[in-house]
Amino acid sequence: MLLLSACLAVPNLLADDRGTLIFADDFERNESQEVKDEVGNGWGTNSERRAGGNKQVDLRDGAMYIYLHKDADHGVSVTHPAEFRNGSVEVKFMLEHEKDTLGLNFADLQCKEVWAGHLFKVVIGIKQTELADLKTGVMDLKTREARQADTLTPAQKAELKTKSKKFVHPLETGTWYTAVATINGDTLSVSIDGKEVGSFSSPGIAHPTKRMLRLAVHRNVVVDDLKIYARH
């Protein structure tokens, strides 16, 4: 079953070659206060739990500004339900500093064989973009335990190196771009401003049901015009 926000920013579901639009947000709204996160439209954040309740997400100028608070003990996670098998996420973004990155983390909290439901991710930075299978990689519970205990075998370490791929794709700070991450079976591909950055195939990407999108931010990022599509 597809999850559709009650505050969907478009009046009807639309279909194109990406599939059916199941969620969209243009962030054209205001908060009632400026002390705590108040994203609205079905979004959640980890600021209460990981940043002492301090504000880390700000809606202004028709965009969503995400920034890591100095007291946070974890990166910022801004989440929205998004249930599909195959599909894509389109998002307009801006990196304001050379160390900024935008993470698109796909999760299923019902999947108990991985840490915190992590399935796979896209990380876009100024110099490169990384695609990674987390389900059969670093977030697999047994693998994670071995990494924390520093007991990974040489074979396991070699296997983990096959679970991600990096693509050199320089960007400029202070510039708006539009990224599209597409999931088709076990293949994850990314384009920026219509130009293909790269694709990566791995078993974890084919997880039957993706249930949540997390915007993962370890410094700062600005996002706008986010859309999620589902395709059978």
Side-chain angles (χ1 to χ4, degrees):
M1 180 178 180
L2 302 180
L3 296 181
L4 177 65
S5 169
C7 301
L8 185 65
V10 292
N12 298 298
L13 295 180
L14 305 175
D16 64 7
D17 57 356
R18 291 181 190 163
T20 301
L21 180 65
I22 61 171
F23 177 74
D25 202 337
D26 60 11
F27 305 103
E28 292 286 348
R29 55 185 177 274
N30 296 316
E31 299 141 307
S32 65
Q33 46 74 44
E34 292 296 330
V35 178
K36 293 183 176 292
D37 295 348
E38 189 181 301
V39 189
N41 204 12
W43 291 97
T45 79
N46 66 345
S47 297
E48 191 67 36
R49 185 167 57 93
R50 305 308 298 258
N54 290 294
K55 189 176 181 67
Q56 298 188 109
V57 183
D58 189 24
L59 299 180
R60 51 188 162 93
D61 304 323
M64 178 164 65
Y65 289 72
I66 307 171
Y67 49 91
L68 186 68
H69 191 273
K70 62 180 179 64
D71 294 334
D73 63 2
H74 188 279
V76 190
S77 181
V78 186
T79 64
H80 201 285
E83 188 168 324
F84 61 91
R85 185 183 186 94
N86 296 308
S88 61
V89 173
E90 175 182 332
V91 61
K92 186 178 177 182
F93 71 97
M94 178 169 59
L95 305 176
E96 299 182 293
H97 187 277
E98 62 180 10
K99 293 184 178 180
D100 289 351
T101 59
L102 168 64
L104 303 177
N105 186 300
F106 297 83
D108 178 5
L109 292 175
Q110 295 182 27
C111 181
K112 301 303 182 182
E113 62 198 78
V114 297
W115 179 258
H118 291 288
L119 300 176
F120 54 93
K121 68 178 181 178
V122 176
V123 181
I124 301 173
I126 289 295
K127 296 181 180 180
Q128 66 182 19
T129 294
E130 178 184 10
L131 311 183
D133 174 355
L134 304 175
K135 181 183 177 182
T136 65
V138 295
M139 290 302 174
D140 170 81
L141 287 181
K142 292 182 180 179
T143 301
R144 185 174 183 272
E145 290 171 1
R147 290 177 66 236
Q148 290 182 322
D150 197 23
T151 58
L152 285 174
T153 66
Q156 287 175 314
K157 292 178 181 179
E159 177 69 12
L160 282 178
K161 290 181 179 180
T162 72
K163 298 301 178 179
S164 66
K165 193 170 183 178
K166 296 178 180 179
F167 302 87
V168 175
H169 189 272
L171 302 176
E172 295 182 2
T173 58
T175 299
W176 283 102
Y177 297 95
T178 297
V180 178
T182 300
I183 300 95
N184 187 19
D186 68 352
T187 300
L188 171 64
S189 58
V190 174
S191 67
I192 296 179
D193 284 356
K195 180 181 179 181
E196 183 175 356
V197 175
S199 63
F200 175 62
S201 298
S202 190
I205 298 167
H207 181 79
T209 309
K210 294 76 178 173
R211 302 183 193 276
M212 177 180 288
L213 172 68
R214 294 175 171 131
L215 302 181
V217 177
H218 294 282
R219 186 180 164 89
N220 305 298
V221 75
V222 190
V223 301
D224 198 1
D225 297 333
L226 185 143
K227 302 179 179 70
I228 304 175
Y229 297 83
R231 193 177 63 257
H232 296 295

